[in-house]
């Protein structure tokens, strides 16, 4: 997973920077054995009483413990991060450019808390953003990042700044590297000042890019995550355009359950701005919109989640659907380029409009929350600008033994 392979990965801005490094959630990563509903709930995690055995289109059966809880036991942390952490908190650090995986080490990160303490993470990894065309988010884990008290409550502990440093004991003396159009560059000196709090306001978008559909790099190592979940794998030739969303943290319906390809209408709108300034919000899947001058646009559905279930399969998209729960979600579109170019924003109504649902990060309440537990907050209503990249997708490909990155 940490090999230096980057294929068709998005460049989210013209310079290396941190787009988000907000405190995610408290205490649910690295729960010692026994790992069960009691120990997860005692740690403040959610537990959904689902037993899911699902048959995929290829005939294979899939047992899905990930849909019972977003908490993780110690071995899961070791498998994904290389080192253990116990009752760890999470901070996803979202960069504008993909990281060079081999340069990701815990000593490159400092987290300053509101009491002045400086914390080095127990463990760091690009997981679950391991697809070769992702790799721009690093998750930090430590039990010392904070607690669930609101900032105005006595004893509240939370991060105020995350920064990238060149620590003398860094493995091989290397600093964290980001991969841009001209190859790897040092990330030392980048920082992010935290102003929000996950138990007051939930996750947001921090980027949106519209490009022609291209599935190159959209899988990762076979032993990690979910592959074959790109727009072409789900929708075939209908997948003409990809509106990729970048999130500050995991976007789930309740903190545990996976987001499903048929859930666009519960969470999103696509906004177009016409030449006369009129604004239209597109909120239905499989409806052909006539945008302007007869140009057509249809929202096909969501992708970059889990695998496809055909209409003939008796297993439907339901609470047992398994998705990768990373920081990327794709809205798949078809239609005329002239109509697609009029897209200006993605809207997340959350609870501000009837019929819409909020997102939660992995610290959310699940289906059956404990009344005495404080869970992370739902997402606020928000509007995200869309970058139109139909002519230049602004992606990068880099892998050893190549000496320079190649833009495609």
């Amino acid at each position: 997973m940490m090999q230096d392979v980057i294929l068709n990965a998005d460049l989210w801005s013209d310079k290396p920077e941190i787009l988000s490094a907000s405190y995610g959630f408290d205490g649910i990563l690295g729960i010692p054995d026994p790992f069960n509903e009691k120990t997860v709930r005692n740690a403040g995690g959610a537990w959904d009483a689902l037993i899911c055995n699902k048959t995929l289109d290829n005939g294979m059966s899939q047992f899905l413990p990930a849909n019972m809880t977003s908490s993780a036991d110690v071995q899961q942390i070791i498998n994904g991060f290389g080192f253990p952490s116990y009752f760890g908190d999470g901070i996803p650090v979202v960069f504008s450019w993909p990281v060079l995986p081999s340069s990701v080490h815990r000593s490159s990160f400092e987290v300053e808390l509101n009491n002045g303490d400086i914390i080095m993470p127990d463990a760091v990894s690009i997981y679950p953003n391991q697809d070769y065309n992702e790799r721009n988010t690093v998750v930090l884990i430590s039990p010392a990042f904070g607690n669930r008290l609101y900032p105005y409550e006595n004893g509240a502990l939370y991060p105020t700044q995350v920064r990238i440093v060149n620590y003398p004991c860094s493995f091989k003396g290397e600093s964290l590297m980001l991969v841009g159009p001209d190859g790897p560059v040092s990330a030392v000196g980048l920082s992010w000042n935290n102003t929000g709090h996950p138990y007051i306001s939930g996750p947001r978008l921090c980027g949106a890019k519209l490009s022609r559909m291209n599935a190159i790099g959209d899988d990762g190592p076979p032993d990690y995550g979910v592959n074959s979940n790109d727009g072409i794998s789900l929708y075939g030739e209908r997948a003409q355009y990809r509106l990729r969303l970048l999130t500050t943290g995991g976007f789930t319906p309740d903190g545990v359950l996976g987001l499903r390809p048929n859930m666009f209408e519960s969470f999103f709108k696509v906004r177009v701005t016409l030449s006369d300034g009129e604004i239209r919000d597109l909120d239905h899947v499989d409806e052909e919109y006539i945008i302007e001058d007869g140009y057509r646009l249809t929202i096909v559905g969501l992708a970059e989640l889990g695998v496809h279930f055909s209409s003939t399969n008796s297993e439907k998209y339901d609470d047992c659907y398994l998705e990768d729960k990373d920081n990327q979600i794709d809205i798949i579109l078809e239609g005329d380029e002239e109509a697609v170019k009029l897209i200006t924003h993605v809207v997340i109504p959350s609870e501000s409009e009837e019929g819409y649902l909020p997102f939660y990060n992995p610290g959310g309440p699940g289906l059956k929350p404990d009344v005495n537990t404080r869970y992370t907050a739902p997402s606020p209503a928000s509007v995200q600008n869309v970058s139109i990249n139909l002519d230049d997708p602004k992606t990068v490909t880099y892998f050893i033994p190549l000496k320079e990155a190649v833009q495609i």
Side-chain angles (χ1 to χ4, degrees):
M1 179 173 64
M2 304 301 286
Q3 292 181 336
D4 292 334
V5 180
I6 296 167
L7 300 175
N8 197 37
D10 287 296
L11 301 173
W12 291 93
S13 73
D14 293 331
K15 63 180 181 179
E17 59 183 329
I18 297 176
L19 301 179
S20 173
S22 300
Y23 181 28
F25 45 83
D26 165 71
I28 61 173
L29 299 179
I31 298 175
D33 290 336
F35 183 78
N36 53 40
E37 180 175 2
K38 181 179 179 180
T39 57
V40 166
R41 289 194 180 277
N42 285 344
W47 187 277
D48 289 350
L50 295 174
I51 302 299
C52 300
N53 285 284
K54 210 166 189 64
T55 302
L56 303 180
D57 281 352
N58 61 12
M60 297 186 65
S61 181
Q62 200 174 38
F63 176 65
L64 308 178
N67 284 42
M68 291 189 291
T69 183
S70 53
S71 302
D73 63 26
V74 175
Q75 189 58 52
Q76 287 175 294
I77 299 304
I78 294 173
N79 292 345
F81 291 76
F83 294 91
S85 188
Y86 298 89
F87 300 105
D89 316 329
I91 298 178
V93 183
V94 184
F95 293 95
S96 58
W97 294 356
V99 300
L100 189 68
S102 66
S103 72
V104 176
H105 307 292
R106 68 189 190 99
S107 58
S108 292
F109 296 86
E110 283 187 350
V111 180
E112 184 170 348
L113 307 185
N114 60 308
N115 65 357
D117 287 352
I118 307 296
I119 306 298
M120 179 190 294
D122 288 350
V124 300
S125 177
I126 62 173
Y127 184 80
N129 296 274
Q130 68 277 342
D131 283 2
Y132 299 124
N133 70 352
E134 298 173 347
R135 307 199 157 206
N136 69 314
T137 299
V138 178
V139 177
L140 320 182
I141 301 178
S142 169
F145 288 152
N147 54 35
R148 304 189 186 201
L149 297 176
Y150 298 140
Y152 53 80
E153 294 178 324
N154 290 332
L157 195 64
Y158 52 90
T160 56
Q161 188 179 71
V162 175
R163 47 186 176 259
I164 312 303
V165 298
N166 191 12
Y167 192 70
C169 293
S170 179
F171 181 67
K172 294 183 181 179
E174 297 174 349
S175 62
L176 179 68
M177 307 292 285
L178 305 183
V179 180
D182 299 316
V185 299
S186 175
V188 172
L190 299 181
S191 64
W192 176 267
N193 295 320
N194 280 303
T195 57
H197 194 282
Y199 292 90
I200 294 177
S201 183
R204 297 172 176 264
L205 296 178
C206 55
K209 278 182 64 179
L210 177 66
S211 61
R212 302 182 194 281
M213 185 66 223
N214 185 338
I216 294 175
D218 219 319
D219 284 343
D223 295 332
Y224 294 90
V226 179
N227 289 329
S228 299
N229 62 352
D230 60 89
I232 296 174
S233 296
L234 268 70
Y235 305 110
E237 293 181 356
R238 296 190 66 193
Q240 293 180 264
Y241 305 97
R242 183 191 76 178
L243 178 48
R244 171 151 289 191
L245 311 180
L246 183 63
T247 72
T248 60
F251 262 41
T252 71
D254 67 354
V256 177
L257 297 180
L259 186 65
R260 306 193 285 271
N262 60 353
M263 280 185 152
F264 172 88
E265 294 180 7
S266 296
F267 292 96
F268 296 107
K269 297 180 182 181
V270 172
R271 178 166 292 174
V272 297
T273 303
L274 306 184
S275 57
D276 62 1
E278 178 188 352
I279 292 174
R280 291 181 61 187
D281 286 344
L282 315 183
D283 53 6
H284 290 292
V285 170
D286 285 330
E287 179 175 329
E288 186 176 80
Y289 291 95
I290 306 302
I291 302 301
E292 191 172 61
D293 296 331
Y295 295 122
R296 302 165 296 107
L297 177 58
T298 300
I299 299 167
V300 180
L302 301 178
E304 187 45 40
L305 302 171
V307 299
H308 173 63
F309 287 105
S310 69
S311 58
T312 59
N313 194 316
S314 60
E315 303 282 354
K316 303 299 182 182
Y317 295 123
D318 57 21
D319 287 348
C320 289
Y321 184 73
L322 180 68
E323 61 115 332
D324 57 15
K325 297 180 180 178
D326 60 25
N327 288 63
Q328 285 76 214
I329 300 170
D330 291 347
I331 299 174
I332 304 302
L333 308 166
E334 66 176 340
D336 298 317
E337 180 176 330
E338 292 82 357
V340 172
K341 286 181 176 179
L342 297 177
I343 293 174
T344 53
H345 300 87
V346 172
V347 180
I348 297 181
S350 291
E351 297 172 298
S352 67
E353 292 187 35
E354 184 177 356
Y356 285 91
L357 302 173
F359 286 108
Y360 291 87
N361 76 19
L367 290 174
K368 297 182 178 180
D370 178 80
V371 295
N372 296 313
T373 298
R374 179 176 287 174
Y375 299 98
T376 53
S379 61
S382 61
V383 178
Q384 175 66 46
N385 292 334
V386 174
S387 173
I388 305 297
N389 297 106
L390 298 176
D391 298 324
D392 178 6
K394 291 192 175 179
T395 59
V396 66
T397 291
Y398 180 92
F399 54 92
I400 303 299
L402 292 181
K403 300 300 182 181
E404 295 183 346
V406 179
Q407 190 169 358
I408 62 175

